Amino acid sequence: MTKTPDKINLAHSTVLLVDDQPTSLDLLSSIVQGFGVREQLKCHAAKDAVELLQRRAVDLILVDCAMPEMDGYDFVRWLRREAAEPARFTPVIMILGHAAHARVARGRDCGASYIVAKPLTPSVLLRRIAWLGAHSRDFVEVESYVGPDRRVRNYGPPPGEEGRRQTDLSGDLGEAVEANMDQDTIDMMLKPMKVNL
Amino acid sequence: MTAAPEPPRIRKVRTSLQRQMARPGGITIDEAVERAEQGLESHRDRIMGILQAQVDLLNSLCRRRPPKADSKIYALASALVDLAGFLEIPPFYTAAYSLCEATHQMTAAKTWSWPAVEVHAHALTLILANDCNGGEAIDHLLAGLHAVVQRGAPAG
């Protein structure tokens, strides 16, 4: 794994912003503009975003979870299951306002790459974007879930980054704490043995 | 006999975002954050005006106490959280979030309490009047709201 870089280059990227609240959309747009994004596209409804993604590709999507008609969760589920490739692999950051625990889990299970709860600071948002740009996650497709591997917690935060949870593991491999096993010992462990039951 | 479930398909994917961000150039993280914060700051007065108008609407609903207002109050509280969540105004954000929690709980438990809403509306008004600054009095106010949510609002 590579360390999250100190610089960020969004000068070639197109970002899609989806939020039904015009003021929130303006604020999000201001943040993204500050990050140096080349092009931003705005949709006031998830249905408009669906239509847009059927016509053209984007590099990153920021979507609010709470919207009338089609909400953020349904939008991401559509993207992961029904959109054509490579659009369905597009990283998605879902933004939550009042984030009950169940909503965070719902966001993770619909296929969002990251869920960011408000208050939304540019620093937190940019860090998530930097992670998405620097680190790969497998894309998982099973009947009950389609999206980036949700077991990201098992890998811990990227090297050099501090996690936010007490249970976060480190992504770095430390020095060996004891001597390597010799080959005979390993062979013995793998060798089928007869047992008396 | 039921068909065996399809095995999981796991793919290594390199996204277009990764390709674009790997290109040479860019700006430092600190510079990008600073620019974004400046951009947000330019909206501050407008946002504070909107928050004030929404708190006025909340106070007006508290005075009128219309029936079946739970979804309206939750939508209003949620809108306050949405906007306040972009600015560095922790006391206001905490109070608005607390109103969301209280409304959510009361709706789920079917125990609507206007006094619980009123105490939040009052706190939000005071915080706005104090320019969203913190302090001991504001801390007490927020602790009071927390207690209201923790014990579950009585019907009324």
Side-chain angles (χ1 to χ4, degrees), chain A residues 27-180:
Chain A
L27 293 169
L28 208 48
S29 167
S30 251
I31 294 177
V32 170
Q33 191 178 347
F35 292 165
V37 164
R38 181 188 63 139
E39 182 187 24
Q40 43 173 299
L41 308 166
K42 299 182 206 173
C43 287
H44 291 279
K47 285 190 171 170
D48 297 343
V50 167
E51 203 175 286
L52 185 141
L53 289 168
Q54 285 166 338
R55 284 186 280 114
R56 60 162 299 176
V58 301
D59 302 307
L60 172 67
I61 300 170
L62 306 182
V63 59
D64 189 58
C65 69
M67 286 183 286
E69 291 185 62
M70 184 184 219
D71 64 19
Y73 308 103
D74 287 340
F75 167 73
V76 177
R77 214 168 283 118
W78 169 84
L79 179 78
R80 298 302 186 217
R81 289 171 183 271
E82 293 177 46
E85 292 184 15
R88 66 195 324 216
F89 304 133
T90 309
V92 177
I93 295 179
M94 181 172 267
I95 298 165
L96 266 66
H98 172 236
H101 190 74
R103 291 187 183 200
V104 177
R106 205 176 151 205
R108 182 200 63 194
D109 293 341
C110 74
S113 311
Y114 280 119
I115 295 120
V116 179
K118 285 183 180 169
L120 181 72
T121 66
S123 170
V124 167
L125 185 59
L126 189 63
R127 205 163 288 274
R128 295 295 173 277
I129 296 174
W131 285 13
L132 286 170
H135 305 283
S136 291
R137 271 161 78 182
D138 290 341
F139 194 84
V140 177
E141 289 167 87
V142 283
E143 199 181 320
S144 56
Y145 176 76
V146 180
D149 194 339
R150 290 173 291 183
R151 293 169 297 175
V152 67
R153 180 190 289 219
N154 294 355
Y155 310 134
E161 296 286 342
E162 282 182 19
R164 293 188 304 156
R165 306 181 195 96
Q166 277 188 330
T167 51
D168 273 341
L169 303 174
S170 168
D172 288 319
L173 283 179
E175 293 294 319
V177 292
E178 56 188 42
N180 287 339

Side-chain angles (χ1 to χ4, degrees), chain B residues 43-94:
Chain B
H43 293 277
R44 192 181 181 89
D45 289 347
R46 186 166 66 98
I47 301 306
M48 294 309 288
I50 295 173
L51 292 178
Q52 182 68 65
Q54 285 175 327
V55 170
D56 290 346
L57 178 58
L58 180 65
N59 279 313
S60 144
L61 283 168
C62 285
R63 279 194 298 275
R64 288 190 287 119
R65 293 192 172 193
K68 294 179 184 168
D70 52 350
S71 57
K72 201 175 230 176
I73 298 287
Y74 183 80
L76 201 48
S78 183
L80 289 174
V81 166
D82 271 349
L83 281 185
F86 283 104
L87 301 179
E88 285 282 324
I89 44 173
F92 188 91
Y93 180 84
T94 306

